[in-house]
Amino acid sequence: MLVIGENINASNSKVAEAIANRDEEFLAHLAKAQASAGANVIDVNAGSGHGSLERAIADGKWLIQVVQAAVDKPLAIDSDSAEVIKAVLKEYTGERPLINSITAEPERLESIAPVVAEREASVVALAMGAEGIPPKVEDRLAACERIMEHLAGLDIEPKRVLFDPLVLPIAVDTSQGMVTLRTIEEIRSRYPDAGVVMGLSNISYGLPKRKLVNRAFLLMAAYAGLDAVIVDPLDTKAMSLIKVADMLTGKDPSCRAYLRAHRKGDIVD
Amino acid sequence: MLVIGENINASNSKVAEAIANRDEEFLAHLAKAQASAGANVIDVNAGSGHGSLERAIADGKWLIQVVQAAVDKPLAIDSDSAEVIKAVLKEYTGERPLINSITAEPERLESIAPVVAEREASVVALAMGAEGIPPKVEDRLAACERIMEHLAGLDIEPKRVLFDPLVLPIAVDTSQGMVTLRTIEEIRSRYPDAGVVMGLSNISYGLPKRKLVNRAFLLMAAYAGLDAVIVDPLDTKAMSLIKVADMLTGKDPSCRAYLRAHRKGDIVD
């Protein structure tokens, strides 16, 4: 499974502070730690500039330079704003960026999809439209279909799309775990060349022992067909279970990666 | 998920010793501890009498009396021998025993199925025939079909059958995790009124951190459709994850059982 390290995100107050203070050392260290822990891609989100587009762009440009100087990994350019994504991409010197994210909202499709096409980027596509996260599987799939049609019109191949089925908290509606898992299965079946990616933490919102719930959901999602996960790579229990999940789903020939990780002391219970 | 406590089994040397010494206190305590920890059914296997049928019957009869005096739970009468099952059942005073197990082997079907019919018992049905555990999904399903046909001929309803899809070690063949999980899905789809039960430990045979691998497999199996699990109820991490699995698969309305278990301190990470 592809591991996308989530830690460099301005929604974390320490990261926001480090960005504001231009604390290169802190952020470079956070990037390196994630890479050492096994992240395949480092997500980079510099925040919304406290409402100032100008500041959001300046923060994003500075941050991407710091992170790409620190690690030799592909980066995910993570922002809600097409303007920020475009500006940050200009600073990105890596080969194929991952743009995080588009939705089926026409405005977002029209502003971000051309950038994906131009840069031959990969893209995270959220299974939602302007109405927010749909509570039903079929409405999430309809959003995927609208995205796929739009991207096909720009000659963006399915293999460059990572769908995010989205997760609503199980504490609010106990059917939502199955809704997300069924959405993963349906996406796999309809778009066999596309990938499926997910962040975990929403599922456990409002519950105690959230990380335990998140990890359990990750295992179910791995069986349903998840290819990639947006996760804290410094969470050694989660990283151990990703290795176990790959092994149990037949993606680890001769259990080699699991056994190697165990010998290094990286499999924790 | 139905929890079948596996601890009273003569394959465990302490249990074998306690049976040989007629150590009622040890075994009664083990039964009570499993019930307190949340086992819904207590499996009882007195062993094969070191090759003596007479001794196996005597051990089985003694053990079932000890366990049913200790706990007010349904018991699973667990033996390879139809003679032992018949003899032990005569001592069993509970309402509906669970007989563990039959297979598609004609001899075993013909000797054990009539006992299931006569006692209106439930039965664990292993998805295998005389040839051992089939490596392929379709051969396991063919075994299930032979069992179902035979039981239908004796008016044994599907709801009294718990199919065991069986598990081969992932360390020997990395496709076997998916074979078992797909078998669970197919059984669920073909026999919607039957249950699906599984023991966990085979999957991790030959690997380090076996319990971690077993628990990860349990979560995948829960999503695939597992109804019941043969497990050590004193394994608090496994029992915590069973609660989480029920919640994530929509079987715990308002997350009540999970939250109650958490308040009691029973959810461990």
Side-chain angles (χ1 to χ4, degrees):
Chain A
M1 191 168 316
L2 188 86
V3 173
I4 303 175
E6 70 184 6
N7 303 31
I8 300 184
N9 192 309
S11 66
N12 175 317
S13 59
K14 282 185 183 169
V15 171
E17 202 180 312
I19 295 167
N21 297 335
R22 296 295 187 255
D23 184 346
E24 187 169 332
E25 193 184 335
F26 176 88
L27 293 160
H29 178 264
L30 194 50
K32 286 176 186 168
Q34 291 181 82
S36 301
N40 306 107
V41 175
I42 310 288
D43 191 82
V44 180
N45 184 325
S48 57
H50 298 271
S52 153
L53 179 63
E54 198 181 344
R55 181 167 166 191
I57 288 174
D59 286 350
K61 285 174 145 186
W62 176 80
L63 185 59
I64 204 82
Q65 287 168 344
V66 169
V67 177
Q68 72 187 352
V71 292
D72 189 20
K73 293 281 176 191
L75 306 185
I77 315 295
D78 184 359
S79 173
D80 292 336
S81 155
E83 297 308 314
V84 171
I85 289 173
K86 282 184 222 172
V88 171
L89 270 174
K90 284 184 189 144
E91 306 300 322
Y92 181 68
T93 56
E95 277 199 10
R96 173 164 285 183
L98 175 61
I99 292 177
N100 186 7
S101 58
I102 56 169
T103 68
E105 288 171 89
E107 191 186 87
R108 204 149 153 160
L109 273 179
E110 281 157 25
S111 60
I112 301 179
V115 186
V116 175
E118 189 191 322
R119 281 296 295 260
E120 295 186 6
S122 295
V123 65
V124 174
L126 311 184
M128 63 183 278
E131 70 290 347
I133 300 181
K136 289 186 180 170
V137 175
E138 58 262 36
D139 297 324
R140 295 193 197 179
L141 294 170
C144 293
E145 188 54 29
R146 295 205 299 281
I147 294 168
M148 223 45 168
E149 278 172 13
H150 191 95
L151 297 183
L154 298 168
D155 289 329
I156 298 169
E157 298 165 292
K159 70 178 181 185
R160 284 160 59 194
V161 180
L162 276 172
F163 280 112
D164 184 335
L166 300 171
V167 182
L168 287 168
I170 196 95
V172 175
D173 174 355
T174 50
S175 73
Q176 286 299 324
M178 291 302 272
V179 166
T180 294
L181 296 167
R182 296 294 186 215
T183 303
I184 294 173
E185 286 199 13
E186 285 292 328
I187 292 171
R188 281 249 68 90
S189 143
R190 293 182 187 200
Y191 312 109
D193 295 332
V196 184
V197 67
M198 195 166 70
L200 293 174
S201 56
N202 257 12
I203 188 75
S204 61
Y205 183 81
L207 290 173
K209 298 274 182 194
R210 291 190 62 177
K211 286 197 163 189
L212 179 73
V213 176
N214 295 347
R215 290 195 297 266
F217 197 58
L218 170 62
L219 287 161
M220 292 181 177
Y223 174 57
L226 199 73
D227 295 295
V229 60
I230 301 175
V231 69
D232 173 6
L234 308 181
D235 177 345
T236 50
K237 288 187 179 184
M239 293 298 280
S240 295
L241 286 174
I242 288 168
K243 291 273 190 315
V244 174
D246 281 344
M247 181 171 70
L248 290 174
T249 53
K251 292 174 185 162
D252 180 9
S254 307
C255 309
R256 264 191 216 112
Y258 176 77
L259 293 170
R260 194 168 53 232
H262 177 257
R263 279 194 299 271
K264 286 172 65 190
D266 288 349
I267 303 295
V268 297
D269 199 344
Chain B
M1 192 168 314
L2 188 86
V3 173
I4 302 175
E6 70 183 7
N7 304 30
I8 300 183
N9 192 309
S11 66
N12 176 318
S13 60
K14 282 186 185 170
V15 170
E17 202 180 313
I19 295 169
N21 298 334
R22 296 294 186 256
D23 184 347
E24 188 169 332
E25 194 183 335
F26 176 88
L27 294 159
H29 178 264
L30 193 51
K32 285 176 187 166
Q34 291 181 83
S36 302
N40 306 107
V41 175
I42 310 288
D43 191 82
V44 180
N45 184 324
S48 59
H50 297 272
S52 153
L53 178 62
E54 198 181 346
R55 181 166 166 191
I57 288 174
D59 286 350
K61 286 174 146 185
W62 176 80
L63 184 59
I64 205 83
Q65 287 168 343
V66 169
V67 177
Q68 72 187 353
V71 291
D72 189 22
K73 293 281 177 192
L75 306 185
I77 315 295
D78 185 359
S79 174
D80 291 337
S81 155
E83 296 309 315
V84 171
I85 288 174
K86 281 184 222 174
V88 170
L89 269 175
K90 284 186 190 144
E91 307 299 323
Y92 181 68
T93 56
E95 277 198 12
R96 175 164 283 184
L98 175 61
I99 292 176
N100 187 7
S101 56
I102 55 171
T103 68
E105 288 170 90
E107 191 185 87
R108 205 149 153 158
L109 273 180
E110 280 158 27
S111 60
I112 301 180
V115 185
V116 175
E118 190 191 320
R119 281 297 296 260
E120 295 186 6
S122 294
V123 64
V124 174
L126 312 184
M128 63 182 277
E131 71 290 347
I133 300 180
K136 290 187 180 168
V137 176
E138 57 264 35
D139 297 324
R140 295 193 197 179
L141 293 170
C144 293
E145 188 54 29
R146 295 204 298 280
I147 293 169
M148 223 44 168
E149 278 172 14
H150 191 93
L151 296 183
L154 297 170
D155 289 329
I156 298 168
E157 296 164 294
K159 69 177 181 186
R160 284 161 57 194
V161 180
L162 275 172
F163 280 112
D164 184 335
L166 300 171
V167 183
L168 287 168
I170 196 95
V172 174
D173 174 357
T174 50
S175 73
Q176 286 299 324
M178 291 302 271
V179 166
T180 294
L181 296 167
R182 295 294 186 217
T183 302
I184 294 173
E185 285 198 15
E186 285 292 328
I187 291 172
R188 281 249 66 91
S189 143
R190 293 182 187 200
Y191 313 108
D193 296 330
V196 184
V197 66
M198 194 166 71
L200 294 174
S201 56
N202 256 12
I203 188 75
S204 61
Y205 183 81
L207 290 174
K209 297 273 183 197
R210 290 190 63 179
K211 287 196 162 188
L212 179 73
V213 176
N214 296 347
R215 289 194 297 266
F217 196 58
L218 170 63
L219 288 162
M220 292 181 175
Y223 173 57
L226 199 73
D227 295 295
V229 60
I230 301 176
V231 69
D232 173 5
L234 308 180
D235 178 344
T236 51
K237 287 188 178 183
M239 293 298 280
S240 295
L241 285 174
I242 288 168
K243 291 274 190 316
V244 174
D246 282 344
M247 181 171 71
L248 290 174
T249 53
K251 292 175 185 162
D252 180 10
S254 306
C255 309
R256 264 191 214 113
Y258 176 77
L259 292 170
R260 194 169 51 230
H262 177 258
R263 280 193 299 271
K264 286 173 64 189
D266 288 348
I267 303 295
V268 297
D269 199 346

